[in-house]
């Protein structure tokens, strides 16, 4: 669905996947977390990020993730790691600026 010439992620995901596919994705997301010894409730948030809505009414059982789900989940881990690295660099730069200002004011 296009709005003003741009397509939002949630509308693309909504249009691309049928309800049965979304249920399957949710079960495989749960399975992905279970396989890694992580809290399977995190799949709720991963699903919301992917599809733009909560998986309410979807079954909470896990299934073995297929290659598409595994790629998506891996991409989210990479994005998270890059975001953390940027935050770490920004924090380091802010500390350096603060030290420089303290030295200049002393």
């Amino acid at each position: 669905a296009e709005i003003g010439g741009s397509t939002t992620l949630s509308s693309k995901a909504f249009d691309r996947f049928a309800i049965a596919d979304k249920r399957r994705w949710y079960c495989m997301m749960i399975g992905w977390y279970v396989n890694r010894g992580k809290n399977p409730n995190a799949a709720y948030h991963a699903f919301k990020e992917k599809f733009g809505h909560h998986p309410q009414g979807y079954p909470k059982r896990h299934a073995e993730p297929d290659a598409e789900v595994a790629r998506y989940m891996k991409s989210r881990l990479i994005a998270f790691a890059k975001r953390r690295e940027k935050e770490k660099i920004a924090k380091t730069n802010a500390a350096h600026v603060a030290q420089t200002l303290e030295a200049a004011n002393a």
Side-chain angles (χ1 to χ4, degrees):
E2 288 197 19
I3 301 170
S6 67
T7 306
T8 62
L9 174 65
S10 60
S11 67
K12 283 196 300 187
F14 184 78
D15 292 342
R16 182 175 165 206
F17 293 94
I19 292 172
D21 291 332
K22 290 180 185 181
R23 285 187 179 134
R24 186 178 55 83
W25 263 76
Y26 185 52
C27 291
M28 287 191 285
M29 286 175 163
I30 292 170
W32 190 87
Y33 283 105
V34 167
N35 289 347
R36 280 154 187 75
K38 305 289 183 186
N39 185 345
N41 292 329
Y44 179 89
H45 300 286
F47 182 92
K48 185 174 187 296
E49 181 183 357
K50 169 79 174 161
F51 295 105
H53 64 87
H54 300 289
Q56 296 191 359
Y58 290 5
K60 291 185 179 180
R61 55 183 176 263
H62 65 278
E64 190 64 32
D66 65 9
E68 184 179 14
V69 172
R71 277 192 308 271
Y72 175 78
M73 298 303 286
K74 183 176 179 180
S75 77
R76 302 301 17 153
L77 285 177
I78 293 168
F80 177 75
K82 287 182 178 183
R83 189 170 54 248
R84 291 275 308 257
E85 184 62 28
K86 284 182 182 180
E87 290 170 359
K88 182 179 176 183
I89 291 169
K91 189 175 182 179
T92 303
N93 289 343
H96 178 68
V97 169
Q99 286 177 349
T100 304
L101 289 175
E102 283 180 19
N105 291 334

